[in-house]
Amino acid sequence: MVTPVKEDTELVTINIDGKDYQVPKGGNLVDMAKWVAGNDIPVFCYHPKMDPVGMCRMCLIELGGVARDRATGDIQYNDDGTPQIRWFPKLQTACTQTVNDGMYIKTNTEQVKEGRESVIEFLLTSHPLDCPICDKGGECPLQNLTMAHGNGVSRMYFDDKMHLNKHYPLGDLIYLDRERCIQCARCIRFQDEIVGDDVLAFHERGRRLQIITNSDPGFDTYFSGNTTDICPVGALTTGDFRFGARPWELTEVPSISPWDAAGENISLSTRLDRDFGGKAMIKRVMPRQNEYVNEIWISDKTRFGHHFTRSDNRLSKIQIRKGSNFSESTWDSTFKAVAKTLKEANGSVAAIAGGSATNEDLYELAQLVTGLGGDKLGAWSPTHTGADLVAQVGLPEGSNLGELGAGDAILVIASDLEEEVPMWRLRLKTAQDRGAYLVVANGRNTRLEELATEDPNIKGRVVDGAAIRYEAGSAAAVMANLKKSNKDIAKKLADANHLVIVAGAEGLTLEGHRALVQSAANFLIDSGHAGKVNSGLLVPLPGANGMGLHYMGFSPETTQDIAANPPKVLIVLNAEILDDDPTAKTWLSQVDTVITLGYFMDAIARESKFVLPVQTFAERDGSFTNGERRVQRFYTAQGPMGDAIPAWKAVGNIAQAADLGRAKLSAAAVMVAIAKNVAAFEGITYKVLARTERQFPDVGGDDKYYGGNAYQNTGGIGKQIALSGTAKSEKVTVPDALKAGKGEIVLLPTTRLYDRSHMFIPTVMVRSRVSLPFVHLNPKDAKALKLADGDYAEVNYDGGSVRVRAVVSDDVSVGAAVFPRKLTEKATPLVPTVGTITKVTEPAQIEG
Amino acid sequence: MAVIGNKKYSKQIEHHFSKYPDKRSAVMPLLYIAQEEYGWVNDDGIQEVAELCELDPTHVKSIAGFYTMYSEKSKGKYWLQVCTDLSCALRGADEFHKDLKAYLEVEEGGTTDDDLFTVEHVMCLAACDNAPMLQCNFHYMENLDMEKMKAWVEEKRAELQKELDA
Ligand code: SF4
Ligand code: FES
Ligand code: FES
């Protein structure tokens, strides 16, 4: 359980309203009063995830302590033998108090009541009181605390209120209402303390105090939406939800982010909506507290990226190819036709599935393929590997990245975490702020590298970190030789109490990534960290269910095998093979029949014989296994799209039509079968996954301040799979890095959080923030190619070519060009490859 | 011109930096330099100070906004702050202030069309004995009357004309 009381925590006794409580020493008084006494001291500026500032004065209490003789230090007693309490003459702010032995507080006296009432009145002197049209209305801490502690009537003249900008765009996604802001600085502090992108500040003072940003780029972090949750009034709203619905019309459905390995817990706020044919529709995405996974934060991609679930491009009908055309069909006849095709393949059947397929989908798919006599189950995309090692030397059960701090160490190698798994980057960066040693190793500069090494004098924080810049593509060699080539760093990592290694695949082939992950595992094993709580290996596997793919038997190496030996019939589930990989068309042409189950009519669907529409995470029940092996379930939230059904159901019915046993009737039933047949899932049921527990800080219940925004976890905190197997430190053969011939250059694909993939592009409001396609070169390489920063360049590679902008700077190493994936509609290299770059002189249209 | 790379200020900037352990601590004196250069703290000035002090421009703006001695509104070349506090008023400063505005044809806080003069009233500048007085770009002009003032204004206007002619 995530609690402030650990085995070794020292307890002290405090007295709240006449009753003694044991609380952990050093805790914050507001948090402790809530945790042990259920006493909700009202707050506005205080937030348990951030340092107290004592700005709003809402938390006033009477504070005292046991009286001691100034000379001797002896406790002074009353005549009746009780210790004398010395009270502060004036009210004190509770949020700035750290509990200590003999602390006495009173929260229910007349003086306290009056203090609270006065602060509320003061905050409302110029508040617009436009709750009827305010998005926060109904879940607003200011509203709630006014009801609880306010006077009920106003002595202020309405005409004297200040009139300020009510629709000030604070970046593309967030709007500020300057009349509503109560100057708590939570948004400022979130950007500063949690994100590390200090772009908000106050301007002016007194009555005219305002939130501003004057930075370039302004308020556009990948976490900006969280400020709208913690803003205690309706001053910050998202462009996505503002004026979209009233909170009390919304049904909160627990869900899981479909985007990346973090598995952020979310709550989908839905209502029956005209805009979606009267069906339940996602109106907004809110974080759901899971202290093990995402605490109370989510990335903007998770928050705003839900639009693809209702996009016009969603596949809503079954499409069956007849010659060069597709015609629609019904499920029953399709199950039969597909089953027939599969049986005729005589066992030459394989499947490739992507990371948005759920555990249930994957299990049923594996059953189908093996039932038909096939044995090849490929994971998409074949860029990342090592899930098997995460299963053995990952973070053990009970680990929590939020507990890393002083004495601990983190190594992030070959990954741009901000772009790949933003929630991990956020949590690891805050771990560094708590004192952990953070090392970022990459062939180029990344946001996390900047954070790991920023001058501590400037930010005023103790930053313990280091950066290792290596030659492009040499990550595996660097990891394997860390103890020799970076002795001091390696020692510090090995000596740390806890060590987490994040091993990405940037700049690496699949073989190279295998070598890197094995080397990282070796390091953890050799240093004795393997198997220790809060230590272990993480791999930013693409998609929400990369570990699920592993546990259900899908591997990227098999994908390579499938490509090398194409089967007669290939089943593709949620894998945009042709859009992702320009070389795939070569081997796919040797496959007789492709059966695709997906969300969109993408390139592979267009080449398929059968195209079956399946449901996204929003429309169905299911579960994902996140990068820390936590199995987490999500619930049906949104109304169905056309004829789409869950993939497990489609696959199960195909199997039934192929006489391979009866189709299961529910996702829960599939999980029962998984628990029976997949060792790692033993004991896991939907009921187990739905288990919740009290979490610290307690943001749920009926407190009136930060509990307003659907944070509380009622859908389950999931279950982490125990480590299995006994990985040994193994000798690693590092494959040679790619070499470019004369006139050629190595292209290193990277991941961008905001891209032009089918799933993300329907999120129109973020489209302007998707980078134009570019290729990033070191000045040395650029010079050889006669390219200058900003030039247009044509990039040629196996399977295609595309025109992009050239970016030239020494943020990337010599010898390779960084070439992000999925920024163009055309497929660009999925894995490192050798290509050419030529300057385009005529004013060319760049693609995007 | 600019603050960065301006010979006029390089010594001063060096001096301010030398006083503090961190560059960021010099933000306030540098903001004065920006204000002197542009007549007010404009966005260019904020950017330059941010760059010099290795701070985020948002924070520089925040500081400029907090202190009233930094002006974030565009000003004429000469920023005339007339003291109209009690002691000065007893010596006719408020009349003087009114007449000056009338002569320059500006409202309180306004700037003349040729962008030369901005007039506003301020509180005691600790020069009561020499009232009426004003502060022109933070330099005192004392023992004033409208005759003196008119002559000075016309002189400045002539200077501008000459510049324009050249
Ligand atoms: S915008 Fe909201 S979070 Fe930011 S200071 Fe104002 S009230 Fe606080
Ligand atoms: S001063 Fe304590 S919550 Fe604001
Ligand atoms: S009252 Fe005018 S300078 Fe003091």
Side-chain angles (χ1 to χ4, degrees):
Chain A
M1 189 163 84
V2 180
T3 116
V5 194
K6 299 269 146 51
E7 274 164 37
D8 52 353
T9 328
E10 190 185 329
L11 295 177
V12 293
T13 307
I14 63 171
N15 184 293
I16 304 175
D17 297 331
K19 229 179 128 194
D20 280 347
Y21 296 92
Q22 297 269 302
V23 296
K25 187 177 173 182
N28 180 286
L29 179 56
V30 172
D31 292 346
M32 291 309 135
K34 182 168 170 58
W35 188 258
V36 299
N39 189 324
D40 292 333
I41 297 173
V43 301
F44 283 117
C45 66
Y46 177 66
H47 192 284
K49 292 283 176 192
M50 297 186 285
D51 290 341
V53 286
M55 289 173 69
C56 73
R57 322 308 287 178
M58 188 62 211
C59 60
L60 294 173
I61 45 140
E62 282 186 52
L63 178 68
V66 174
R68 280 172 193 279
D69 187 280
R70 279 190 213 284
T72 61
D74 292 342
I75 296 181
Q76 294 175 321
Y77 293 93
N78 294 318
D79 296 341
D80 61 358
T82 53
Q84 258 180 41
I85 311 302
R86 212 172 263 155
W87 294 94
F88 277 86
K90 287 194 178 166
L91 297 176
Q92 301 293 314
T93 49
C95 73
T96 53
Q97 308 300 329
T98 308
V99 291
N100 54 35
D101 221 9
M103 180 180 254
Y104 277 70
I105 68 163
K106 287 188 204 157
T107 67
N108 53 7
T109 62
E110 266 313 302
Q111 213 192 342
V112 170
K113 203 172 150 263
E114 199 193 315
R116 291 173 177 174
E117 202 175 285
S118 308
V119 172
I120 289 278
E121 180 171 39
F122 176 69
L123 287 174
L124 293 179
T125 48
S126 193
H127 193 81
L129 300 179
D130 55 351
C131 309
I133 54 140
C134 177
D135 285 311
K136 204 86 166 193
E139 53 179 24
C140 172
L142 180 61
Q143 234 179 14
N144 292 341
L145 292 182
T146 302
M147 297 306 286
H149 305 287
N151 192 351
V153 288
S154 178
R155 293 184 289 167
M156 303 299 146
Y157 291 112
F158 194 78
D159 292 346
D160 285 350
K161 299 206 173 199
M162 309 242 322
H163 289 291
L164 300 162
N165 195 335
K166 292 185 73 72
H167 309 280
Y168 182 82
L170 210 59
D172 295 345
L173 308 171
I174 309 294
Y175 287 83
L176 169 66
D177 182 321
R178 293 199 149 142
E179 290 186 353
R180 293 183 192 151
C181 173
I182 58 163
Q183 288 104 28
C184 68
R186 276 187 182 180
C187 53
I188 300 176
R189 290 181 289 142
F190 173 79
Q191 280 299 111
D192 178 19
E193 293 175 29
I194 310 284
V195 180
D197 192 13
D198 199 4
V199 294
L200 297 181
F202 280 132
H203 188 236
E204 295 271 359
R205 54 166 131 160
R207 256 280 177 269
R208 289 197 297 272
L209 198 67
Q210 295 298 321
I211 297 292
I212 55 151
T213 176
N214 206 45
S215 310
D216 183 30
F219 185 37
D220 82 342
T221 53
Y222 288 154
F223 307 99
S224 63
N226 294 299
T227 55
T228 65
D229 301 337
I230 56 174
C231 177
V233 296
L236 295 176
T237 49
T238 68
D240 199 30
F241 178 66
R242 64 202 305 256
F243 308 132
R246 309 316 314 270
W248 56 84
E249 308 167 335
L250 299 172
T251 308
E252 297 295 335
V253 184
S255 190
I256 301 294
S257 164
W259 296 105
D260 58 42
E264 294 156 331
N265 288 211
I266 52 178
S267 182
L268 301 176
S269 307
T270 65
R271 77 163 183 198
L272 303 179
D273 205 285
R274 185 180 54 190
D275 292 347
F276 194 47
K279 292 180 285 186
M281 172 183 170
I282 300 172
K283 299 301 287 181
R284 63 176 185 183
V285 177
M286 301 292 279
R288 179 163 60 97
Q289 185 185 27
N290 189 334
E291 288 297 318
Y292 293 103
V293 177
N294 54 305
E295 302 174 27
I296 54 167
W297 317 120
I298 55 175
S299 74
D300 282 2
K301 188 170 185 177
T302 301
R303 188 181 300 266
F304 301 122
H306 59 92
H307 293 272
F308 79 93
T309 60
R310 294 177 307 280
S311 132
D312 289 343
N313 298 336
R314 264 294 290 284
L315 200 53
S316 60
K317 296 275 177 229
I318 302 162
Q319 303 284 335
I320 299 187
R321 175 183 294 279
K322 301 244 159 60
S324 55
N325 292 321
F326 283 101
S327 59
E328 292 178 8
S329 183
T330 61
W331 278 114
D332 275 341
S333 62
T334 306
F335 293 145
K336 286 195 191 109
V338 174
K340 185 160 171 278
T341 308
L342 286 168
K343 279 175 123 177
E344 282 167 7
N346 282 325
S348 181
V349 178
I352 293 181
S356 42
T358 70
N359 296 320
E360 296 76 10
D361 302 345
L362 295 169
Y363 177 78
E364 287 291 85
L365 181 57
Q367 292 301 104
L368 174 66
V369 171
T370 48
L372 289 162
D375 59 1
K376 290 185 187 166
L377 302 171
W380 195 259
S381 55
T383 48
H384 293 63
T385 183
D388 49 329
L389 287 165
V390 174
Q392 300 178 65
V393 293
L395 288 125
E397 264 182 292
S399 296
N400 183 352
L401 296 181
E403 284 172 6
L404 295 175
D408 303 332
I410 301 153
L411 168 65
V412 178
I413 182 164
S415 172
D416 186 349
L417 264 195
E418 170 121 344
E419 304 285 340
E420 294 183 63
V421 192
M423 189 47 57
W424 285 356
R425 114 81 170 108
L426 181 121
R427 300 191 79 206
L428 294 179
K429 182 254 158 200
T430 38
Q432 185 188 27
D433 293 342
R434 288 188 298 267
Y437 175 58
L438 175 63
V439 182
V440 177
N442 204 321
R444 64 187 178 101
N445 120 314
T446 61
R447 181 81 184 106
L448 193 59
E449 182 197 272
E450 286 166 22
L451 291 166
T453 53
E454 199 160 38
D455 186 345
N457 290 331
I458 302 296
K459 290 285 174 194
R461 287 196 203 103
V462 186
V463 168
D464 193 10
I468 300 173
R469 278 287 180 93
Y470 49 71
E471 220 170 282
S474 63
V478 168
M479 187 72 232
N481 299 320
L482 199 67
K483 282 177 204 153
K484 286 194 208 102
S485 50
N486 291 283
K487 225 161 134 198
D488 299 342
I489 291 177
K491 183 162 178 345
K492 229 170 145 175
L493 293 174
D495 290 349
N497 296 343
H498 303 106
L499 171 63
V500 171
I501 301 185
V502 183
E506 203 174 284
L508 296 167
T509 58
L510 196 65
E511 296 69 32
H513 190 225
R514 159 84 31 205
L516 170 65
V517 180
Q518 181 66 54
S519 310
N522 289 354
F523 193 95
L524 285 161
I525 294 165
D526 295 346
S527 65
H529 284 107
K532 248 176 98 173
V533 171
N534 291 337
S535 295
L537 176 69
L538 290 174
V539 175
L541 299 165
N545 201 22
M547 285 308 294
L549 279 163
H550 162 71
Y551 284 118
M552 299 305 149
F554 294 74
S555 81
E557 284 80 9
T558 312
T559 305
Q560 286 183 328
D561 181 24
I562 292 171
N565 309 290
K568 266 210 185 106
V569 179
L570 177 69
I571 306 173
V572 176
L573 169 60
N574 293 137
E576 299 183 349
I577 298 180
L578 282 174
D579 292 281
D580 291 353
D581 183 359
T583 65
K585 49 183 176 279
T586 326
W587 64 267
L588 270 169
S589 64
Q590 297 167 47
V591 175
D592 287 349
T593 311
V594 180
I595 301 160
T596 294
L597 298 93
Y599 306 147
F600 304 101
M601 199 64 186
D602 60 1
I604 183 74
R606 288 196 297 272
E607 297 297 317
S608 302
K609 166 92 172 123
F610 301 97
V611 185
L612 315 184
V614 294
Q615 292 181 335
T616 67
F617 78 107
E619 300 130 67
R620 45 165 293 187
D621 282 22
S623 67
F624 291 134
T625 311
N626 82 356
E628 296 177 71
R629 303 182 324 287
R630 181 173 289 272
V631 185
Q632 307 187 98
R633 72 178 282 201
F634 52 85
Y635 300 69
T636 305
Q638 190 160 263
M641 266 302 257
D643 292 344
I645 57 174
W648 61 263
K649 194 176 219 172
V651 175
N653 276 290
I654 292 169
Q656 179 170 315
D659 305 321
L660 295 170
R662 293 192 55 130
K664 308 250 179 344
L665 291 175
S666 67
V670 182
M671 186 52 88
V672 171
I674 296 177
K676 208 150 88 205
N677 298 311
V678 180
F681 279 66
E682 202 188 318
I684 292 184
T685 61
Y686 271 17
K687 210 169 147 199
V688 169
L689 299 181
R691 198 183 57 82
T692 56
E693 63 187 27
R694 192 170 183 215
Q695 303 183 63
F696 181 83
D698 191 344
V699 297
D702 45 34
D703 76 75
K704 309 278 190 305
Y705 32 106
Y706 29 79
N709 293 11
Y711 285 145
Q712 198 184 6
N713 196 330
T714 54
I717 57 167
K719 171 100 180 76
Q720 202 176 10
I721 295 176
L723 292 176
S724 60
T726 44
K728 278 194 280 301
S729 187
E730 266 174 45
K731 198 169 151 34
V732 176
T733 7
V734 177
D736 292 336
L738 283 182
K739 282 266 162 336
K742 199 161 179 279
E744 294 174 333
I745 188 154
V746 178
L747 301 171
L748 298 180
T750 56
T751 302
R752 301 281 296 193
L753 189 67
Y754 295 162
D755 59 17
R756 292 195 171 74
S757 63
H758 290 284
M759 259 169 90
F760 192 62
I761 209 70
T763 301
V764 178
M765 60 179 301
V766 188
R767 213 177 269 176
S768 64
R769 296 171 72 201
V770 182
S771 158
L772 285 174
F774 66 91
V775 63
H776 195 167
L777 297 145
N778 186 281
K780 270 207 189 123
D781 295 320
K783 203 168 157 213
L785 296 165
K786 302 200 170 51
L787 277 171
D789 191 49
D791 277 354
Y792 292 111
E794 186 169 280
V795 186
N796 286 284
Y797 43 87
D798 186 8
S801 79
V802 70
R803 286 185 172 179
V804 299
R805 279 267 193 192
V807 175
V808 179
S809 82
D810 50 16
D811 283 342
V812 298
S813 303
V814 188
V818 166
F819 191 32
R821 302 178 184 110
K822 297 194 196 177
L823 288 184
T824 71
E825 262 159 37
K826 282 191 199 167
T828 57
L830 184 64
V831 289
T833 178
V834 172
T836 60
I837 302 178
T838 45
K839 183 169 166 162
V840 183
T841 37
E842 78 271 22
Q845 184 81 43
I846 56 169
E847 281 147 280
Chain B
M1 261 315 260
V3 175
I4 295 180
N6 191 337
K7 278 216 199 80
K8 205 159 104 194
Y9 304 120
S10 49
K11 270 240 173 65
Q12 281 183 56
I13 294 174
E14 266 323 299
H15 167 70
H16 291 307
F17 279 150
S18 73
K19 291 190 292 191
Y20 308 103
D22 293 334
K23 285 192 163 174
R24 68 205 304 261
S25 309
V27 62
M28 296 193 57
L30 263 53
L31 273 171
Y32 275 121
I33 294 179
Q35 178 155 290
E36 184 175 332
E37 175 60 28
Y38 299 104
W40 57 296
V41 180
N42 61 5
D43 268 349
D44 288 347
I46 299 233
Q47 286 300 335
E48 290 178 287
V49 173
E51 207 174 298
L52 285 166
C53 297
E54 293 168 9
L55 270 168
D56 194 295
T58 299
H59 292 280
V60 179
K61 174 116 180 140
S62 177
I63 290 159
F66 184 83
Y67 295 101
T68 48
M69 295 284 275
Y70 300 117
S71 168
E72 291 185 282
K73 269 200 261 132
S74 109
K75 292 272 184 302
K77 187 170 178 195
Y78 302 101
W79 177 13
L80 310 177
Q81 295 173 297
V82 185
C83 172
T84 54
D85 234 343
L86 182 63
S87 322
C88 285
L90 291 174
R91 294 183 58 150
D94 49 352
E95 276 303 304
F96 171 77
H97 175 225
K98 218 170 15 182
D99 293 347
L100 180 59
K101 284 192 293 185
Y103 183 69
L104 293 174
E105 293 172 349
V106 293
E107 296 289 317
E108 170 66 16
T111 303
T112 53
D113 291 341
D114 54 11
D115 274 341
L116 267 186
F117 308 103
T118 301
V119 185
E120 69 184 21
H121 77 277
V122 293
M123 287 186 209
C124 184
L125 291 167
C128 324
D129 51 334
N130 295 328
M133 62 81 62
L134 60 76
Q135 178 175 250
C136 171
N137 299 353
F138 297 113
H139 298 290
Y140 281 8
M141 293 168 70
E142 291 162 306
N143 296 318
L144 297 170
D145 56 41
M146 272 318 284
E147 286 317 303
K148 276 192 202 160
M149 216 44 219
K150 280 181 194 164
W152 182 82
V153 164
E154 291 316 319
E155 188 185 314
K156 295 299 166 196
R157 281 187 170 155
E159 273 173 23
L160 176 72
Q161 198 51 49
K162 227 180 180 171
E163 252 175 63
L164 290 178
D165 292 345

